[in-house]
Amino acid sequence: MESAIWGVLSIIGTIAFAISGALVAIEEDFDILGIFTLGFLTAFGGGTIRNLLIGLPMKALWSQQLEFYVTLVVILLLILFPNLVFKHWQKAELWTDALGLAAFSIQGALHAENLNQPLSAVIVAAILTGAGGGVVRDVLAGRKPIILRSEIYAGWAILAALLIYYNIVTTDLGYFVLVIGITCLRMYGYWKNWHLPKVSWIEREKQDD
């Protein structure tokens, strides 16, 4: 049985990624249909990819009526009242992406854990659910996906998976705190320009050129 926090995490992640996708679409000068399309695909992309890989039927996606309505309203409000975020749209884009990553990573890890999956599956579910929507968004917007950059990104999803798999975080309050913690760590890593190690011989060749 899914935790009671499941639905809350779903709403938080859906809102955050819907805003993130819509902001990227507006930044890339998409039309109104493109804004709605990218917003929806960002909000539901990660969960859809996860469900397909673990064998859940497509009806699991179509049953998310509340999330669909929430996404529709959020994107519509963003289009009608752009001043709500556009004064600080860059920060809004970063914060919503970080929040969506946190909420959906935890949700994905919980889903795999409730199915009694091994650690590897819990980690994959956390990464796909947390970062999948962002990958879809970036690819459709013609950007290099954040998860493939040197910035620490998928690492935060892995951290969430480990904390859940080893029962370090087990309560609804703990999941809320973890959402806040992962979001803040993601933003702190961005501000501090944290990077994973690169392949040294590639760096040397670039310098020689």
Side-chain angles (χ1 to χ4, degrees):
M1 182 176 180
E2 299 288 3
S3 168
I5 198 67
W6 173 268
V8 178
L9 290 173
S10 182
I11 293 297
I12 292 174
T14 297
I15 292 174
F17 269 149
I19 295 174
S20 175
L23 285 175
V24 169
I26 294 171
E27 183 184 354
E28 296 295 333
D29 200 27
F30 283 24
D31 60 20
I32 291 179
L33 180 59
I35 294 171
F36 276 103
T37 300
L38 197 60
F40 270 93
L41 289 176
T42 305
F44 294 97
T48 302
I49 294 171
R50 177 205 62 209
N51 291 349
L52 289 174
L53 288 179
I54 65 177
L56 286 180
M58 284 302 295
K59 67 179 182 180
L61 172 64
W62 308 130
S63 64
Q64 295 179 291
Q65 292 186 11
L66 177 59
E67 286 83 353
F68 271 95
Y69 291 135
V70 168
T71 301
L72 180 65
V73 171
V74 166
I75 298 174
L76 187 60
L77 288 174
L78 190 61
I79 293 173
L80 294 177
F81 305 101
N83 290 332
L84 292 175
V85 294
F86 279 6
K87 290 181 180 179
H88 307 284
W89 66 268
Q90 288 183 317
K91 289 183 179 179
E93 186 179 321
L94 288 170
W95 275 103
T96 52
D97 181 80
L99 182 58
L101 170 70
F104 276 156
S105 294
I106 296 168
Q107 189 200 47
L110 280 172
H111 189 64
E113 174 69 9
N114 289 332
L115 293 175
N116 297 316
Q117 296 296 314
L119 176 60
S120 58
V122 175
I123 291 175
V124 170
I127 294 175
L128 289 178
T129 311
V135 171
V136 173
R137 175 200 63 209
D138 292 340
V139 169
L140 292 179
R143 299 180 174 187
K144 182 187 293 184
I146 296 177
I147 194 174
L148 301 180
R149 301 176 192 173
S150 54
E151 178 189 329
I152 300 174
Y153 190 82
W156 303 126
I158 295 174
L159 175 61
L162 292 173
L163 292 175
I164 290 171
Y165 181 81
Y166 288 110
N167 295 320
I168 298 173
V169 180
T170 58
T171 65
D172 288 355
L173 178 60
Y175 298 135
F176 277 119
V177 173
L178 187 57
V179 168
I180 296 172
I182 295 295
T183 301
C184 292
L185 283 171
R186 159 80 174 101
M187 294 303 300
Y188 187 77
Y190 175 83
W191 289 328
K192 290 296 183 179
N193 199 27
W194 286 351
H195 291 83
L196 295 173
K198 296 182 179 180
V199 180
S200 58
W201 64 267
I202 294 179
E203 290 298 310
R204 286 198 297 270
E205 283 194 2
K206 287 182 178 179
Q207 293 175 2
D208 293 339
D209 292 340

